[in-house]
Amino acid sequence: MRIQLSDHFTYRRLLRFVMPPVLMMVCTSLYGIVDGFFVSNYVGKTSFAAVNLIMPVLMGVGSVGFMVGTGGSAVVSVKLGEGKRDTANRYFSMLIYTTLAFSVLLAVFGFVFTPAISAALGAEGELLHDCIIYGRILFASGPVFILQNIFQNFFVTAERPDLSLKVSVAAGVTNMAFDYLLIAVFRQGIAGAALATALGEAVGGIVPVFYFARKNNSLLRLGKALPEWRTIALACANGSSEMVSNLSMSVVNILYNFQLMRMAGEDGVAAYGIIMYVNFVFQAIFFGYAIGCAPVVSYHYGAGNRVELKNLSGKSLVLMCVTGIVMTLLAEFCNAPLVRVFAGYDAALSAMTCQGFRLYALAFLMMGVNIWSSAFFTALNNGVVSAAISFLRTLLFQTAAILLLPLLFGMKGIWLAIVAAELPGLLVSVIFLAWGRKRYRYA
């Protein structure tokens, strides 16, 4: 039976509805990890370090899609909750068209300046060469990557999270298949890894366009639309927290790489890259839940159903806390076999990575609540609070931690920086959630 945004959500119904976005985000993170596996094991440690050095910049560009996807889906979901389906479709179409145009400009800019960006990150010699090859190919595929990120959210708003999962699986299979062919069989090295990723992104970004452009059985369809700058600004402001979060992650990852290059060289960057690959899968569960739950919150907020808002907020907090505990335990006890997948050929690199991941994994205890809290306020169309949570947690607290803790604790300080940032981030989330109870009457 199809679950609708207007339904009352029990734990079972809520988990069934959010499971496709969760699996979708896990699949998305997995096919990024496959790149790392093939590059690390078939191309070499230097190329693996190059991928992880340039990747934060590429993810920063992709954050435009997260911003428009989360902020735009909240705006569209509210209109659906108000019963204004034509307006919702017009907003949806306009946001897709304007973001596509902007993403093309970003791709051109990134392609031209890839050498300068790579050099600014500290790359030299072979590392610089590999950064330029990988970066230019993925800057060129930037528009479809941004579209892929947008449609991940709008599939859920359209009450078709199952299609989001199917498209993500298709994109992931495409990427993994071409990773094997281009890297392991045809030995195309880092260029093959980039091309495989670009082909996967093309599937994830283009297939949804064909689905929404024709008559379909979802709530949304692409049609004629002219720019409405006020609505675009509202969507961007509302989704700014997600963009701030992703841009902050990119900036912080760059800072991590600078510190690790200084203290441990290429091995340090490679170790952090491995931790990030495993972290992507764990975080994907939190982000997938937030993506799946947000349109439901927006719908009931638009419909004025405060009882269901209370129900959703309470159940979500319980689920995020339980999931955080489970994931922390998994990370602590299973880190060695996960690390060996990427660095089994190098005992020193494996040891460094395992030690770092055991410390880093403590952040999962708090991370889920923080990610959900930011997404919750985005769904309530309060982009200011959502952005404040994301800015403080992912940029201010992490930047301070990554700059100060290594001075006190050396390498351990680098791995503990995320924990030191998530703890005050949790305090901020709790304060805003307590403040919002009276304003939005969800508790």
Side-chain angles (χ1 to χ4, degrees):
M1 186 174 115
R2 182 166 165 178
I3 301 174
Q4 297 179 315
L5 297 177
S6 56
D7 289 347
H8 167 69
F9 283 80
T10 61
Y11 276 111
R12 182 178 180 181
R13 188 179 292 269
L14 182 58
L15 288 172
R16 280 180 58 200
F17 189 78
V18 302
M19 193 54 64
V22 169
L23 294 175
M24 169 201 69
M25 291 299 294
V26 170
C27 287
T28 301
S29 63
L30 281 176
Y31 72 71
I33 289 171
V34 170
D35 265 4
F37 169 79
F38 278 103
V39 172
S40 180
N41 288 279
Y42 288 88
V43 186
K45 190 162 58 177
T46 298
S47 294
F48 183 62
V51 170
N52 293 295
L53 200 60
I54 194 69
M55 185 58 73
V57 180
L58 300 169
M59 294 304 294
V61 172
S63 67
V64 173
F66 289 112
M67 176 184 68
V68 177
T70 53
S73 65
V75 172
V76 171
S77 294
V78 167
K79 291 301 175 185
L80 290 172
E82 293 172 351
K84 299 176 181 177
R85 187 168 176 178
D86 289 341
T87 303
N89 276 287
R90 189 174 76 250
Y91 286 176
F92 164 63
S93 302
M94 174 193 61
L95 290 169
I96 296 298
Y97 301 150
T98 53
T99 306
L100 179 59
F102 180 69
S103 66
V104 172
L105 296 177
L106 277 179
V108 172
F109 179 86
F111 187 90
V112 171
F113 289 99
T114 299
I117 293 169
S118 301
L121 294 173
E124 298 177 346
E126 185 182 353
L127 189 64
L128 176 62
H129 175 263
D130 286 350
C131 280
I132 293 172
I133 292 175
Y134 193 84
R136 277 191 157 160
I137 292 172
L138 290 186
F139 269 122
S141 69
V144 289
F145 179 48
I146 289 172
L147 283 179
Q148 181 182 20
N149 292 336
I150 294 174
F151 284 123
Q152 285 176 349
N153 290 275
F154 277 119
F155 266 125
V156 181
T157 304
E159 293 184 344
R160 294 307 307 268
D162 57 315
L163 287 181
S164 179
L165 174 59
K166 291 175 183 176
V167 170
S168 292
V169 169
V173 170
T174 300
N175 185 23
M176 290 186 282
F178 279 99
D179 265 329
Y180 173 73
L181 288 173
L182 294 176
I183 300 175
V185 177
F186 296 112
R187 301 291 179 178
Q188 294 301 304
I190 197 167
L195 285 170
T197 299
L199 290 169
E201 291 170 353
V203 171
I206 295 173
V207 169
V209 172
F210 285 101
Y211 173 78
F212 284 113
R214 62 182 178 82
K215 187 176 181 180
N216 59 71
N217 62 347
S218 78
L219 295 179
L220 299 177
R221 185 179 179 185
L222 288 170
K224 294 181 180 179
L226 295 174
E228 298 179 37
W229 301 112
R230 185 174 179 179
T231 302
I232 294 171
L234 175 62
C236 291
N238 198 34
S240 61
S241 60
E242 276 64 32
M243 186 171 187
V244 166
S245 180
N246 282 276
L247 283 176
S248 299
M249 286 169 61
S250 296
V251 171
V252 168
N253 286 346
I254 291 170
L255 288 175
Y256 268 100
N257 286 332
F258 272 130
Q259 292 281 54
L260 288 164
M261 281 287 284
R262 181 176 63 84
M263 298 181 71
E266 287 184 11
D267 275 8
V269 175
Y272 181 63
I274 294 168
I275 292 173
M276 284 298 96
Y277 281 128
V278 180
N279 175 59
F280 287 158
V281 178
F282 282 57
Q283 279 198 56
I285 296 173
F286 294 134
F287 280 116
Y289 182 87
I291 289 172
C293 186
V296 184
V297 171
S298 295
Y299 183 94
H300 287 286
Y301 174 61
N305 189 348
R306 309 302 177 188
V307 174
E308 192 60 26
L309 284 180
K310 177 182 178 180
N311 173 57
L312 289 165
S313 62
K315 285 181 169 57
S316 295
L317 282 170
V318 171
L319 289 171
M320 289 298 94
C321 289
V322 172
T323 305
I325 294 170
V326 172
M327 289 170 58
T328 302
L329 293 173
L330 282 174
E332 293 296 337
F333 289 108
C334 302
N335 67 84
L338 291 172
V339 168
R340 279 199 295 270
V341 172
F342 297 93
Y345 59 86
D346 190 318
L349 179 58
S350 291
M352 179 192 296
T353 308
C354 285
Q355 181 188 39
F357 191 47
R358 280 193 292 268
L359 298 174
Y360 188 100
L362 296 173
F364 295 133
L365 287 169
M366 301 155 283
M367 191 180 292
V369 173
N370 290 336
I371 290 172
W372 174 82
S373 298
S374 178
F376 182 64
F377 283 104
T378 297
L380 294 173
N381 272 345
N382 193 328
V384 175
V385 171
S386 181
I389 294 173
S390 291
F391 174 79
L392 291 171
R393 167 183 158 260
T394 62
L395 184 60
L396 185 63
F397 295 153
Q398 280 208 59
T399 299
I402 192 59
L403 291 176
L404 294 176
L405 289 188
L407 299 176
L408 300 174
F409 304 108
M411 285 291 291
K412 288 185 178 180
I414 293 180
W415 307 129
L416 284 170
I418 181 68
V419 183
E422 292 290 350
L423 189 57
L426 179 62
L427 178 61
V428 170
S429 296
V430 170
I431 290 171
F432 277 122
L433 286 170
W435 165 83
R437 292 173 66 182
K438 185 175 290 187
R439 176 168 181 174
Y440 297 104
R441 292 179 290 166
Y442 53 75

